[in-house]
Amino acid sequence: MGELWIIITASIVALNAAILGCFLLLRKMAMVGDAISHAVLPGIVVAYYLSGDKTSGLLLLGATLTGVLASFAIDFLSRKAKIQGDASIGITYTFLFAVGMIMISTMMNGNTDIDMECVLYGDISLINLDKIVVDGNLYLGPRAFYIEVIALVIIGFSIGFGFKGFKVLSFNEDYAKALGINTNRWHYALMTLVSLTTVFSFEVVGAVLVVGFLIIPPATAQLFSTKLKQMLFWASVFGILAVIIGYYLAVWMNVSITGAMVTVAGIDFFLVLIIQRLVDRKKRSTTFAAPEFITPTPKNSVE
Amino acid sequence: MQTFLDFISFKDPNVMYVILGMICINSSSALIGTFAFLRKRSLIGDAIAHSLLPGICLGFIAAGDKRMIFLFLGAFLTGWFSTFLVDYIVNRSKIKQDAAIGIVLSSFFALGIVLLTYIQNAGYTNQGGLNGFLFGQAAAINRDEIYLFALILLIILVAILVFYRSFILISFNAEFAQSIGLPVRWIEFLMTSLTVLATASGIQALGVVLMSALIVTPAAAARFWTHKLSRMLVIGVVFSVFSGIVGAYISYTHAATPTGPWVVAVLSVITLLSFTVSTKSGILANFLRARKNKIKILQETILKTIFHYHERRGLAQNLDSVLTPTDLLSVRVYDTYQLQKGIKRLIRLGFLVAKEKGFTLTENGKIEGRRIVRLHRLWEHYLLKRTTIDALHVHSGAEAIEHILSPEIEKELERELGIVGIPTKDF
């Protein structure tokens, strides 16, 4: 039963990340997602420090703000300080991550709830220790599962209601501006959701590996998708597939579960890329093979 | 204080290794990072750093122990392979570069975690300390590694000295470099390999997650202090080495904390300071400059408006009326608060003189007001004569440029147009 809960919880993480990842990728902001996921670390540490509790909802929302702040800092560095975009991402997230790690090593002395390895890859195998039990014996599943469900509901509602806004923002920001849409508002809404996903799934997959869930499945779907809904669907499929295969691989090899999941996602990506290139090549060779009658014969060829 | 003395007197031989190591590592990465920064490939360093982890683990599995040379070799191979994969994805699919970096970075890192846990659970002896590569443990640097790091620094220095001109050309304009027949692909390959070398050398001290900061941040900080590449390289190295040593010191006094975060935090603070207080392009300097300009424009506009007020009443010759802010508002639209502020400043500077019922121009004020109007109109005439801009549109151009025309240009305009005094026609 514990096994099933792990897979279900991780699948919801993958689903959340896949949905948001699609929009991030289309906005060419994959690395901003990476930056946010690292940058929420100080927020999380402060939240844990103040509450002494991993699950205090309000403080998790506070940590979410850190991620939004990070995306704001990146914008600020590239617009006001005129540091080029990629460098401002690199500077912002390494700084915030470093601050977070310093906080862990100085403020969290002896606190085993949050250590550095957990930051990197979470401890999904331990989620079953923190159960929700009603009436002393009715077992309702691990707490992490419910946190993920809450995140899924928030993301589902936001994307569902704002689908058109997110869509036009992702494909053509200038057009959205011309229509009079406040693109800034949608941009920061997206950043907030990304930050929320990272914070909420921190306990399960850690701050670094969540990037794998955010970027890889959507990128795999992007390789062959031509419609946004198609991309969203396949990204979710690849995400959940990676979770299931990765889990059993990890159990079989006795290695880190989250690590195995993201590794499988990466392998999926390269497999799809190679298959697609093979298919493309075949298609090209059948479609574009010049038929006999239009093959130009060199004028002064000697036959 | 005692710990500080202990630290700088190398009482603990390890401290010397750490400092020497930091000097080599931080110099190498700052030097090669500057070129990566200029080529707008800073985040590649991120991908490389994360990709070193599986290489280290593979090196460990291959060698069966923690001999640095095996770990380093493995790290170099996977790090290099990661840049190859990023380029492959970008060239062969519709995935953009940043997403490609994200994909490679996270899958390699995940693979590294898998291998790391595999090693931990497979019962290898003496595998403890491999964890140190995640966050960095500068204290673990030993004598042999110093030689290795120094060698890497030497290789990078020699390569930069030998290929300096090609590196510059490719960093700023790769197409041009290609067109004059430089082997751009080979030189880029060389730069990538050097970046991997530098990154791999720092992995032990900084850890995989933060190593990329040593590539990106020094160059970004140095960029605020100079526009010359050679100086940028030196400044970057100085910043980076300084924060390396300070970071190592803090980590030395707080034994429980890893080195990497402290080094990166110090480096980031230097960068923050750079971009706020830098005299060249810092935001503080920019802000002050913008404010100064704004005040100057406001003052000059007020003086000009006073002239216009008189001119409309046919008093352009003496300019002696006593005015109130309301009079000025009848000529031109102002934000009243700004207007009052400007008038106060002008009185303080001696261009205006306060009277019981308002203010009037001083001699200096008259000269200044005439000068501005004259520049404005000279420019309008110039535009009409030399360009095809319609008379309706010359005003806006002149409105902006009147504040920055130098006396030399004024003379040129005079000569060009043959106008003496203030032209009477305003557009």
Side-chain angles (χ1 to χ4, degrees):
Chain A
M1 194 60 194
E3 203 169 69
L4 194 62
W5 280 119
I6 290 180
I7 291 179
I8 291 175
T9 311
S11 297
I12 303 176
V13 173
L15 192 61
N16 289 342
I19 294 171
L20 292 175
C22 287
F23 292 103
L24 270 184
L25 224 61
L26 290 171
R27 264 180 80 56
K28 302 183 184 68
M29 289 193 158
M31 287 313 277
V32 177
D34 179 48
I36 289 180
S37 69
H38 285 72
V40 293
L41 187 58
I44 290 172
V45 179
V46 170
Y48 278 20
Y49 184 71
L50 293 179
S51 65
D53 179 11
K54 284 190 192 182
T55 44
S56 158
L58 256 178
L59 284 169
L60 285 186
L61 289 179
T64 304
L65 274 184
T66 328
V68 182
L69 267 180
S71 73
F72 182 75
I74 292 170
D75 285 351
F76 178 80
L77 280 183
S78 53
R79 279 202 205 132
K80 285 282 145 74
K82 307 239 160 58
I83 299 177
Q84 61 206 31
D86 61 341
S88 55
I89 292 174
I91 294 170
T92 311
Y93 96 80
T94 48
F95 176 55
L96 288 170
F97 194 73
V99 170
M101 282 167 57
I102 291 172
M103 283 177 169
I104 291 181
S105 58
T106 51
M107 289 158 52
M108 291 291 161
N109 267 342
N111 185 338
T112 47
D113 260 0
I114 174 168
D115 62 10
M116 294 199 191
E117 258 105 86
C118 147
V119 168
L120 285 184
Y121 43 88
D123 28 35
I124 197 167
S125 50
L126 301 182
I127 59 169
N128 282 312
L129 295 182
D130 191 4
K131 295 167 184 169
I132 292 188
V133 179
V134 180
D135 284 348
N137 54 8
L138 180 57
Y139 176 50
L140 285 180
R143 193 183 291 273
F145 168 75
Y146 289 99
I147 295 179
E148 288 310 323
V149 169
I150 293 171
L152 180 63
V153 170
I154 296 175
I155 291 167
F157 268 105
S158 319
I159 299 286
F161 282 113
F163 192 72
K164 274 191 174 165
F166 285 119
K167 190 173 171 180
V168 73
L169 181 78
S170 311
F171 285 102
N172 198 338
E173 196 173 345
D174 294 331
Y175 178 61
K177 271 184 198 150
L179 286 180
I181 295 172
N182 187 344
T183 49
N184 255 342
R185 192 185 301 162
W186 288 101
H187 171 72
Y188 283 108
L190 183 62
M191 295 299 126
T192 312
L193 288 178
V194 171
S195 178
L196 184 115
T197 321
T198 347
V199 174
F200 276 47
S201 49
F202 171 79
E203 190 187 354
V204 185
V205 294
V208 179
L209 284 179
V210 70
V211 187
F213 287 108
L214 267 177
I215 302 178
I216 303 178
T220 318
Q222 198 188 19
L223 285 174
F224 58 85
S225 300
T226 48
K227 288 198 171 64
L228 178 58
K229 279 184 182 152
Q230 187 191 4
M231 185 174 165
L232 285 167
F233 173 75
W234 284 107
S236 316
V237 170
F238 280 116
I240 294 172
L241 202 66
V243 165
I244 297 171
I245 300 177
Y247 179 78
Y248 287 107
L249 194 71
V251 171
W252 178 56
M253 287 175 59
N254 190 18
V255 292
S256 154
I257 295 172
T258 326
M261 288 172 180
V262 177
T263 310
V264 170
I267 294 171
D268 278 355
F269 173 81
F270 285 105
L271 277 181
V272 173
L273 179 64
I274 289 166
I275 292 172
Q276 196 208 16
R277 292 210 15 99
L278 290 178
V279 171
D280 266 11
R281 197 171 292 168
K282 209 171 177 188
K283 220 188 269 170
R284 213 174 291 150
S285 65
T286 51
T287 326
F288 295 113
E292 284 284 311
F293 55 89
I294 58 161
T295 311
T297 33
K299 268 182 188 159
N300 40 7
S301 64
V302 185
E303 301 249 7
Chain B
M1 194 64 212
Q2 188 54 44
T3 48
F4 180 70
L5 286 178
D6 282 356
F7 183 75
I8 54 166
S9 62
F10 303 140
K11 214 171 202 174
D12 183 352
N14 270 332
V15 172
M16 192 172 72
Y17 294 145
V18 169
I19 289 187
L20 285 176
M22 280 293 171
I23 291 173
C24 295
I25 293 164
N26 291 21
S27 314
S28 317
S29 45
L31 285 173
I32 200 68
T34 305
F35 292 103
F37 176 83
L38 292 173
R39 288 165 69 210
K40 302 202 165 49
R41 292 179 63 116
S42 307
L43 286 177
I44 287 278
D46 208 12
I48 296 175
H50 283 75
S51 312
L52 300 178
L53 189 61
I56 288 170
C57 296
L58 286 175
F60 179 81
I61 293 173
D65 60 34
K66 276 191 307 185
R67 255 172 299 166
M68 188 58 194
I69 191 70
F70 283 99
L71 305 188
F72 190 81
L73 216 64
F76 181 77
L77 285 179
T78 48
W80 191 84
F81 187 54
S82 74
T83 66
F84 167 77
L85 277 182
V86 170
D87 286 342
Y88 181 82
I89 295 175
V90 173
N91 292 335
R92 303 296 159 88
S93 73
K94 55 181 171 181
I95 307 287
K96 300 286 176 300
Q97 198 198 24
D98 70 328
I101 290 175
I103 294 164
V104 171
L105 174 159
S106 45
S107 21
F108 270 73
F109 186 71
L111 182 65
I113 297 289
V114 166
L115 290 173
L116 199 63
T117 43
Y118 172 76
I119 292 171
Q120 279 166 354
N121 296 336
Y124 279 94
T125 46
N126 76 36
Q127 44 88 10
L130 272 188
N131 269 348
F133 288 103
L134 292 174
F135 299 104
Q137 200 65 62
I141 295 178
N142 63 32
R143 181 190 287 268
D144 293 344
E145 284 153 19
I146 298 288
Y147 291 136
L148 182 64
F149 298 158
L151 180 70
I152 290 171
L153 176 60
L154 192 71
I155 293 174
I156 289 175
L157 272 177
V158 169
I160 288 180
L161 285 178
V162 173
F163 294 101
Y164 191 64
R165 300 188 70 86
S166 327
F167 278 14
I168 293 183
L169 210 51
I170 288 175
S171 305
F172 287 106
N173 197 340
E175 279 89 16
F176 178 65
Q178 184 98 51
S179 74
I180 61 167
L182 274 179
V184 172
R185 288 183 59 131
W186 282 107
I187 294 173
E188 280 185 340
F189 174 78
L190 176 67
M191 286 165 119
T192 306
S193 307
L194 292 178
T195 315
V196 178
L197 266 183
T199 319
S201 78
I203 200 78
Q204 190 181 24
L206 266 293
V208 287
V209 188
L210 292 177
M211 183 54 212
S212 65
L214 281 196
I215 302 275
V216 189
T217 314
R223 187 70 187 81
F224 284 104
W225 298 100
T226 178
H227 296 307
K228 254 182 90 100
L229 181 62
S230 51
R231 280 190 213 140
M232 196 172 150
L233 288 169
V234 175
I235 296 174
V237 168
V238 170
F239 281 166
S240 186
V241 169
F242 174 76
S243 28
I245 294 175
V246 174
Y249 173 69
I250 301 175
S251 164
Y252 171 76
T253 50
H254 300 71
T257 59
T259 329
W262 284 113
V263 176
V264 173
V266 175
L267 192 54
S268 305
V269 170
I270 292 180
T271 312
L272 281 179
L273 285 178
S274 296
F275 89 74
T276 38
V277 304
S278 150
T279 45
K280 276 219 167 64
S281 40
I283 49 168
L284 208 61
N286 278 346
F287 174 76
L288 288 177
R289 214 174 298 142
R291 217 178 87 110
K292 216 173 122 191
N293 274 336
K294 227 167 144 186
I295 292 173
K296 185 176 174 230
I297 289 172
L298 176 68
Q299 289 170 359
E300 296 185 347
T301 315
I302 291 175
L303 291 174
K304 195 172 69 175
T305 314
I306 298 177
F307 182 89
H308 285 156
Y309 178 86
H310 287 90
E311 196 180 43
R312 284 191 191 176
R313 287 159 182 75
L315 301 169
Q317 293 315 311
N318 52 23
L319 305 177
D320 281 331
S321 317
V322 177
L323 300 174
T324 60
T326 328
D327 294 331
L328 293 186
L329 284 171
S330 69
V331 182
R332 191 188 172 103
V333 183
Y334 281 100
D335 178 282
T336 43
Y337 171 73
Q338 290 288 327
L339 179 61
Q340 277 167 355
K341 220 171 74 175
I343 290 169
K344 265 183 206 147
R345 267 191 78 88
L346 284 167
I347 291 174
R348 207 166 60 227
L349 292 170
F351 289 120
L352 293 179
V353 137
K355 291 274 153 72
E356 305 108 76
K357 278 190 190 162
F359 49 84
T360 182
L361 283 170
T362 61
E363 283 311 306
N364 273 343
K366 284 178 194 168
I367 294 168
E368 187 68 7
R370 287 198 172 103
R371 187 181 71 85
I372 303 296
V373 175
R374 184 173 138 80
L375 285 176
H376 182 99
R377 291 182 185 170
L378 279 177
W379 188 256
E380 284 179 345
H381 280 87
Y382 175 72
L383 285 183
L384 280 177
K385 187 174 172 197
R386 284 292 168 193
T387 67
T388 55
I389 298 174
D390 190 78
L392 280 172
H393 301 299
V394 291
H395 172 78
S396 56
E399 195 70 10
I401 208 155
E402 63 192 21
H403 305 289
I404 49 174
L405 284 179
S406 65
E408 291 81 19
I409 299 178
E410 189 183 348
K411 278 213 186 82
E412 274 298 295
L413 287 174
E414 245 168 51
R415 203 169 51 80
E416 172 81 27
L417 299 165
I419 296 177
V420 205
I422 303 175
T424 44
K425 198 163 161 44
D426 204 350
F427 293 95

